Amino acid sequence: MKNLLLSIAMAVMPFGAYAQFGVVAPLHVNGNQLNDQYGNKVVLHGVMDTPSPYFNHNRWGYACNDNTVGAAINYFDKLFTAITDTKQGAYCNIFRLHMDPCWTNDPNKQSTGSDQGEANISRFSSSRLQKYLNSLYWPIAKKAIGHGLYVVVRPPGVCPKNLRVGDAYQNYLKTVWNIVSSNNDIKNNSGVVSIELANEPVNVYASNGQASARALYDYFQPIVDIIRKNGFKGIIWVPGTGYQSQYQSYAQYPINDNNFGYAVHVYPDWYGASDNSYDHNKFIQNFKNQVPVVTSKPILVSEIDWSPQKPGSGKYNEFGQWVGSNYGTWGTASTSKWGNAFKAVHDYYGNISMTLTSTDDYIDVDTYLKSGKSTPAFGGMYEACSGACWAWYKDYAKVNYAHASGSTSGGGTSQGGGTSQGGSSTATPVGQNLIPAFASSNDVVPSDWKLVDNGSTVKAGDAASGPRLMKFADGGDFTTGLYVRTIEAGKSGYAEYGSISGKSLSLQYGTYLVSVNATAWTGSPYFQVQVIDPNGHIIASRIAQCKASVERNRNAKISNSANVYFSFYSMVKGNYRLRITPVADANGTKGDWQEIVVGNVAMYYQGNPLAFGTANQVPAGWKVIDADNQMQAGDAAQGPRTFKFNAGGDFEYGLYVRQSDASKAGYAEFGSTPGYALTLIKGDYRLTYNAVAWQGNPYMKCEVLNESGKVLGSQIINLTKNVDRNLNASTSGSNVGTVNFTAPSTGIYHFRWTPVANYNGATGAWLEAVFGHIKITALSVGAKEGFVDEATGIENLESNVNENNVWYTLQGVKLNAQPTQGGVYIHNGKKVLVK
């Protein structure tokens, strides 16, 4: 059994205090959600830890005694500073505190009984719990609260493998929670401090030793009753069996209380999900099967972590199974597979809070202690929980947090405020997948996808052959997939989302991420993923080979599927299309009988990074260099960052950039950050922006570069408008920069702004400028280059469909009648000009 290392306390901040996301008020359970006193939905994200010399790597001492209490409290105070430092990008608002048994066990007592490790309670001392609750545990919790963290407290140690109603461990838990819930500090912070009743019960039996659906209720309800009798009114988190993964019996015998939720644990290889089986829908369903109470009560995933496997000796897990080494977590998996599948579960239910299994899973603790710099653990590796949660927590901090009545739920805007291309900010939530998951259906042509087979559009509905949804009995990377094929090279075969009336893919200005998995139905075909804009231009395209095949077997497990993952920028508002086509090679050559099965199709909105809308940030997607050092995206209190000019003017929000040292680089660039590509179609463009001098009389050089770094257009302007370092000044009368350039082909382009000393572009010291109101205008684009002609609805339709006198827009949207508004349409397979 796993030692409950690193338990995370749900830190809750008292009413009236100010946290990184707003005012954090006491919480209560309302249906299946956490709410603050104003009715705002709250979802919490943080870490767990335990005041143990061993698990804290002896950073504060080597013993648990009165002499080390102060050092332990000071150590955790530093951790809380690090994990809540939003200026450095850390966004935790909950801490799970393990009242470690190294403090509550009496070293003078003889250990008895057969239970091993922390499951052995024979040396437990109620007087030591009382003592260290007052001198250690509560002071640590109080420090956490002072840093804007909700705190959840868990009992010392872990459950023995087999529990029975009325046993010694139930009496132990009654004693622990009687002491804790009687403490005035704990009671006075109800709603800020919450209680997790036990850690990782495995089996719970009735008093006669037999299995019973009532056993969990009979075991934990009396403990809840004691806590309430003592006057604690805060949230109680109730565990399940199977190391906190089984909650089915609570659906029949729920806990009798009005302010509780369920504490659940999630690790790779649980709930039928791993790096070898990470179908999002299957994970969602399996989670509901094992935790059906997710629909009725809020959930706290109080332990979760992961990092990918690496060469090494490995270890035994809590089940005695040998697992390969990873980078220092309990669970072994990668974010791109298992991690994103868990995120789908988290986002689908919308009421799951979480705490990573250790502070060391989130931040590099040793780096922080040495330098005061808060950085992700494991070198920021995104495939590990550290890098992933560093990004996720920041996004989650914008929504579903406690705040004062009258403020806007959801917190910060997504890069709103100013606009690119002159449009307005979008209401699309950042991180939202705009493409619905495939229905769990078999042998059905989905009604929201356009499927073209051998040049003809396939009719939606039941289908025994041809392109259709297929269910794979053994699952794997995905359970339900869309079978797509090209029968003849000269005739189209593809799947497309966004061209069915009522199922549009309406995009705003901004950056989007696309991800698609595919496996071969047979052979080793390639597949092409294309994004098509409202004018029919292909603005982004990727091709990958399906090296793994299910060999026409729906009982096969889908593994090692190919993945296409890329970003693009939406320059035009309107209805886009995502097209997936089986092809014969890496050049996109059409071929005969190229057959694939597609799953996990996603298009995520990333916000509009060109429209600055939040002050004091290094904006996401931007490469900002200051004296040769690249600034980390996130909140920033000094150096290059976004400014807000309170008097408005030509632009309200701008990006401050500088050359502080003539011998070192200083600039801001968009388009070169992974996940934030600036995609343009072949054609002629104009880039404009407004800029002011922050002080002095600098110049601004603006350059447009291709992906290889070749300069396609540039201009240097003199910044004669000076705001004299005053954020209350107006930017009216700012200088306007204009760069005309030609994109020679559809691809990725970079825009760079550099303060310089003169019209020759000379470097200098302390050249400081602020720019904003970025606009990109297409002057002309190639009519054929990157243009999808057959995607406009010209394909032949099935012969059993009466298509006489049917009209389509150029985007393939079917009209109810002949159009009366002038324009170009598709009628009977031909383009027609209506005047």
Side-chain angles (χ1 to χ4, degrees):
M1 183 185 300
K2 174 172 77 220
N3 285 322
L4 270 206
L5 124 143
L6 316 167
S7 285
I8 308 178
M10 238 193 207
V12 184
M13 204 173 184
F15 169 65
Y18 286 85
Q20 58 272 33
F21 317 144
V23 177
V24 182
L27 304 181
H28 65 275
V29 171
N30 180 18
N32 72 345
Q33 301 289 342
L34 297 178
N35 282 175
D36 65 15
Q37 66 191 74
Y38 305 110
N40 299 304
K41 173 182 173 181
V42 177
V43 181
L44 303 166
H45 305 90
V47 300
M48 100 175 189
D49 217 323
T50 184
S52 159
Y54 175 78
F55 289 120
N56 301 153
H57 304 285
N58 303 116
R59 294 179 180 119
W60 51 265
Y62 294 85
C64 298
N65 56 42
D66 293 350
N67 294 328
T68 56
V69 165
I73 296 171
N74 184 55
Y75 170 77
F76 277 89
D77 189 31
K78 292 177 181 178
L79 292 191
F80 300 148
T81 302
I83 65 175
T84 60
D85 190 347
T86 59
K87 291 181 174 59
Q88 297 196 64
Y91 280 85
C92 290
N93 61 354
I94 176 174
F95 179 76
R96 181 180 181 237
L97 172 62
H98 179 204
M99 296 186 294
D100 198 284
C102 71
W103 299 90
T104 59
N105 283 347
D106 187 341
N108 297 316
K109 278 188 177 182
Q110 181 68 34
S111 178
T112 61
S114 59
D115 293 314
Q116 301 297 310
E118 291 185 358
N120 190 309
I121 58 173
S122 61
R123 297 167 63 206
F124 169 73
S125 166
S126 58
S127 63
R128 286 178 68 91
L129 173 59
Q130 187 76 261
K131 173 182 179 179
Y132 288 113
L133 176 62
N134 292 323
S135 66
L136 176 74
Y137 301 137
W138 168 246
I140 289 177
K142 187 177 180 181
K143 291 287 189 181
I145 294 168
H147 286 281
L149 292 161
Y150 289 84
V151 177
V152 57
V153 183
R154 56 157 277 206
V158 299
C159 292
K161 184 175 182 181
N162 297 312
L163 302 178
R164 188 160 85 172
V165 174
D167 66 5
Y169 200 80
Q170 186 183 33
N171 291 328
Y172 161 74
L173 291 176
K174 289 179 180 179
T175 300
V176 167
W177 292 123
N178 182 49
I179 292 171
V180 174
S181 62
S182 298
N183 181 279
N184 286 330
D185 288 320
I186 298 293
K187 288 195 293 184
N188 291 339
N189 285 274
S190 295
V192 173
V193 175
S194 59
I195 287 173
E196 185 177 350
L197 294 181
N199 188 80
E200 295 200 335
V202 184
N203 303 306
V204 179
Y205 299 104
S207 58
N208 61 6
Q210 301 299 309
S212 169
R214 275 187 60 101
L216 273 171
Y217 171 86
D218 289 341
Y219 202 90
F220 290 112
Q221 183 65 52
I223 303 172
V224 171
D225 294 341
I226 289 172
I227 293 170
R228 295 306 187 208
K229 184 178 179 181
N230 287 336
F232 178 80
K233 298 179 181 179
I235 297 165
I236 296 174
W237 299 102
V238 182
T241 54
Y243 298 93
Q244 291 182 241
S245 69
Q246 303 289 341
Y247 294 76
Q248 296 91 332
S249 66
Y250 285 125
Q252 185 178 0
Y253 297 102
I255 293 295
N256 181 23
D257 191 71
N258 61 4
N259 197 26
F260 78 98
Y262 291 94
V264 179
H265 289 182
V266 178
Y267 284 104
D269 295 314
W270 296 19
Y271 307 95
S274 67
D275 263 11
N276 295 319
S277 179
Y278 52 92
D279 177 86
H280 295 190
N281 288 338
K282 186 175 181 181
F283 200 167
I284 290 169
Q285 185 58 51
N286 286 349
F287 189 84
K288 184 179 180 181
N289 291 343
Q290 293 182 219
V291 191
V293 291
V294 68
T295 61
S296 60
K297 289 294 177 183
I299 300 298
L300 168 65
V301 173
S302 58
E303 285 191 28
I304 180 173
D305 69 12
W306 69 94
S307 61
Q309 187 170 343
K310 71 173 184 177
S313 59
K315 65 181 180 182
Y316 287 99
N317 65 13
E318 62 267 39
F319 306 109
Q321 300 165 329
W322 183 259
V323 294
S325 295
N326 56 38
Y327 288 82
T329 54
W330 280 108
T332 301
S334 56
T335 300
S336 59
K337 296 179 179 179
W338 182 87
N340 283 339
F342 168 73
K343 187 175 186 295
V345 176
H346 178 284
D347 295 350
Y348 178 84
Y349 290 109
N351 65 338
I352 299 177
S353 297
M354 63 181 283
T355 53
L356 292 174
T357 308
S358 169
T359 308
D360 288 286
D361 288 338
Y362 184 68
I363 64 168
D364 188 324
V365 175
D366 291 320
T367 294
Y368 184 82
L369 294 177
K370 291 176 183 177
S371 67
K373 187 172 183 180
S374 189
T375 58
F378 315 128
M381 182 191 307
Y382 190 79
E383 288 291 2
C385 56
S386 54
C389 288
W390 201 263
W392 295 356
Y393 286 9
K394 181 178 179 180
D395 283 342
Y396 291 143
K398 299 172 184 176
V399 295
N400 301 333
Y401 61 88
H403 54 277
S405 178
S407 62
T408 304
S409 180
T413 61
S414 62
Q415 309 293 345
T419 59
S420 171
Q421 290 75 252
S424 60
S425 60
T426 175
T428 304
V430 173
Q432 176 176 312
N433 184 5
L434 304 179
I435 300 179
F438 294 136
S440 184
S441 303
N442 199 31
D443 293 332
V444 171
V445 176
S447 60
D448 52 349
W449 281 76
K450 176 181 179 181
L451 293 182
V452 173
D453 187 39
N454 213 27
S456 296
T457 301
V458 182
K459 185 179 180 181
D462 294 341
S465 62
R468 64 200 188 278
L469 291 174
M470 292 181 173
K471 289 188 70 175
F472 289 82
D474 205 17
D477 296 352
F478 50 88
T479 300
T480 303
L482 185 59
Y483 167 63
V484 188
R485 67 189 183 189
T486 301
I487 295 177
E488 295 182 26
K491 295 183 179 180
S492 296
Y494 58 84
E496 185 173 277
Y497 189 87
S499 56
I500 301 297
S501 180
K503 302 292 182 180
S504 64
L505 191 57
S506 181
L507 305 189
Q508 305 290 327
Y509 303 131
T511 302
Y512 295 81
L513 280 174
V514 173
S515 181
V516 179
N517 283 72
T519 190
W521 178 240
T522 185
S524 53
Y526 292 73
F527 69 105
Q528 184 175 41
V529 180
Q530 298 168 307
V531 177
I532 305 164
D533 76 5
N535 297 317
H537 292 101
I538 300 169
I539 62 171
S541 177
R542 295 292 187 277
I543 297 175
Q545 185 179 18
C546 298
K547 296 181 180 179
S549 173
V550 294
E551 295 301 340
R552 301 177 178 273
N553 179 14
R554 280 197 251 183
N555 289 318
K557 182 175 183 178
I558 299 175
S559 59
N560 298 316
S561 61
N563 176 256
V564 160
Y565 185 82
F566 62 92
S567 62
F568 69 93
Y569 190 88
S570 168
M571 284 276 298
V572 182
K573 282 186 176 182
N575 189 56
Y576 284 66
R577 288 170 286 151
L578 181 73
R579 176 178 290 192
I580 305 168
T581 306
V583 293
D585 58 31
N587 296 317
T589 306
K590 302 293 176 64
D592 296 344
W593 287 104
Q594 306 297 319
E595 301 170 89
I596 61 173
V597 182
V598 176
N600 296 337
V601 182
M603 181 181 289
Y604 298 103
Y605 177 59
Q606 294 285 89
N608 186 1
L610 294 184
F612 309 127
T614 304
N616 298 317
Q617 284 192 342
V618 176
W622 282 79
K623 179 181 180 181
V624 180
I625 303 297
D626 183 37
D628 283 345
N629 295 312
Q630 182 166 344
M631 306 291 292
Q632 183 175 331
D635 289 353
Q638 59 186 3
R641 63 196 187 278
T642 50
F643 284 165
K644 179 183 179 182
F645 290 94
N646 296 318
D650 295 335
F651 58 94
E652 182 181 10
Y653 291 90
L655 180 57
Y656 164 62
V657 62
R658 68 191 184 191
Q659 268 196 13
S660 58
D661 186 326
S663 65
K664 296 179 179 179
Y667 60 87
E669 180 175 295
F670 185 79
S672 57
T673 301
Y676 291 88
L678 197 290
T679 45
L680 298 176
I681 306 162
K682 176 182 179 181
D684 297 323
Y685 294 87
R686 175 175 295 144
L687 168 66
T688 61
Y689 66 95
N690 292 68
V692 296
W694 180 237
Q695 67 171 351
N697 186 30
Y699 292 70
M700 179 71 89
K701 178 169 69 173
C702 180
E703 301 169 285
V704 177
L705 307 92
N706 65 12
E707 198 168 0
S708 300
K710 180 181 179 181
V711 177
L712 304 178
S714 67
Q715 181 197 47
I716 296 177
I717 60 173
N718 186 7
L719 301 183
T720 57
K721 168 67 177 183
N722 187 326
V723 296
D724 198 23
R725 304 174 66 88
N726 181 11
L727 290 178
N728 291 317
S730 169
T731 59
S732 295
S734 63
N735 300 103
V736 178
T738 302
V739 179
N740 294 315
F741 66 97
T742 297
S745 61
T746 297
I748 297 172
Y749 294 85
H750 305 166
F751 299 158
R752 180 184 295 174
W753 284 263
T754 307
V756 292
N758 54 37
Y759 279 121
N760 296 320
T763 60
W766 293 106
L767 304 173
E768 301 172 273
V770 186
F771 67 95
H773 195 217
I774 303 165
K775 296 177 66 175
I776 310 166
T777 304
L779 303 178
S780 66
V781 294
K784 290 297 180 182
E785 201 272 347
F787 185 78
V788 177
D789 212 22
E790 78 278 6
T792 58
I794 297 179
E795 296 89 12
N796 297 321
L797 297 175
E798 288 188 319
S799 58
N800 63 337
V801 180
N802 183 1
E803 290 292 343
N804 291 332
N805 201 34
V806 174
W807 293 79
Y808 291 86
T809 68
L810 284 178
Q811 287 71 52
V813 178
K814 185 177 179 180
L815 303 178
N816 294 325
Q818 180 175 339
T820 57
Q821 184 176 353
V824 180
Y825 298 87
I826 305 300
H827 180 54
N828 293 334
K830 297 180 180 179
K831 290 184 180 179
V832 177
L833 176 63
V834 175
K835 297 183 179 179

